[in-house]
Amino acid sequence: MYNGKVIICDDEVEILRYLSKILSAKGLELEVFSSGTSLMSCLENRGLDDGDLMLLDVKMPDLDGLEILQRVKRMKLDVPVVMMTAYASINSAIEAMKLGAYDYVTKPFPKEKIFGILEKVLERKELLKENIALKDELGIPSASTPLIFTSETFRRVHDMAMLVAQSESNVVILGESGTGKELIASLIHNNSPRAKERFLTINCAALSDTLLESQLFGHIKGAFTGAITAQKGLLEAANHGTLFLDEVGDMSPAIQAKLLRVLQEGDFIPVGDTKAKSVDIRFLAATNKDLEEEVRQKRFREDLFFRLNVISLHLPPLRDRGEDIELLARHFLAKYAARMKREITDFTREAMQLLKSYNWPGNIRELENAIERAAILTRGSTITAETLPVWRTPPPQEAKQEGGKRLVSLETVEREHILHVLKASGNNKSRAAKILEIARRTLDRKIEEYGLEDEGVR
């Protein structure tokens, strides 16, 4: 049994009866139209009422199915359209695919064919729901994620982003890690003419060349070992929408060459295929690398750089947005207090001063992590300096003497022990972390917290 709604439009009574019988037997809600005119009248007056799939006949006497498809796309209705066609009009079905149809079936078709398409559509719907929920859980930017700022430095970037959003130009967003590049990309998309279309993202540095190519361009069945089914890539999924290429500077020359074709010709070839597919996509790209230097060093194609870099936005690091630190800290505190169901409402003056005086090399991402950590450790209603990570080198402590023995704080003992292990292991951090039985990432954080770089640790 399925949970969803299917809209059917066909002038053949037999087809309507057949589809109504097999789909209603699966528990699906149906809305049936015997003419294109009646369908369009319904769409224009009240929309789709959350339809999950539209089955649309190509040839109808009153209104051509291709014309209906084009109107549906112009109305930006978010419903996959499957064209139903007789063999004699197969060319019309191919034309429909070019216009944005999800798929097509040739009459007469077995019920298994329709059920197969329906399962894919409903699976996609559930995956999108899970993706939105997961992004919310992980704090990944979504359409509703606010931009928090009051500084004039960031306002200039924000206003420029709002201005370029109205264009169709490709944009490169530059900035250090953690400065909010994906948030700005989301802002541009959500305020663009493509706002009702899909906004998809991919991290080019997180995937191997083979996987990145498959994710971007898709592949046909048998294209490589393990390709047991065909898979649409992000380029096809983002058609008419926006694709955000994060860490584009880490893309290999081979993938760069294939991407260049998409920007130049507006088409691409899935892995293992021989036929090109046309797409209409706006590209937003981000990197923390100096792309101009990458071009000079021949690590990034100059022609691709110019195609992507029609407009560039430079995000300021958090250290240059001092006025925003308190605003952001309070935003993150409210977020994690609500998530943890804790009554934590404020910072002590010392804690806020510590936040404002820190250099924030990890930018907004590091600030958010610090506030989350503090919210976990805080026992009362106020964040104190003690619950925040200790980023500054501790001042030399005078050792207390009692009974002829040197007494120091636990923090000093930990600092001295870590330094001793690092020196004993020849500054090999991986070996030191293994000896200390902590993660390498934890060791790096403690080296920074205790200022051990000043002790010769690198």
Side-chain angles (χ1 to χ4, degrees), residues 140-141 171-183 185 199-207 212 216 234 243-251 259 283-289 291 300 308 315 365:
I140 299 173
V171 181
V172 171
I173 306 168
L174 304 169
E176 297 176 6
S177 293
T179 50
K181 295 188 287 293
E182 187 171 348
L183 267 176
F199 173 67
L200 300 178
T201 72
I202 187 168
N203 189 320
C204 303
L207 304 172
L212 177 60
L216 276 175
L234 290 178
L243 182 58
F244 176 54
L245 304 169
D246 198 8
E247 302 300 348
V248 71
D250 291 275
M251 190 178 285
L259 181 62
F283 287 94
L284 305 178
T287 181
N288 57 14
K289 292 187 175 182
L291 278 187
F300 199 85
L308 288 173
L315 298 195
R365 188 180 296 123

Side-chain angles (χ1 to χ4, degrees), residues 67 80 177 188 224 268 292 394 408:
E67 175 62 25
S177 293
I188 292 172
F224 50 82
F268 69 96
E292 292 185 356
V408 296

Side-chain angles (χ1 to χ4, degrees), residues 147-166:
L147 281 170
I148 308 297
F149 67 94
T150 188
S151 65
E152 185 59 32
T153 304
F154 194 80
R155 182 172 300 280
R156 287 194 293 268
V157 176
H158 174 271
D159 291 349
M160 178 62 77
M162 292 293 286
L163 181 64
V164 304
Q166 300 305 312

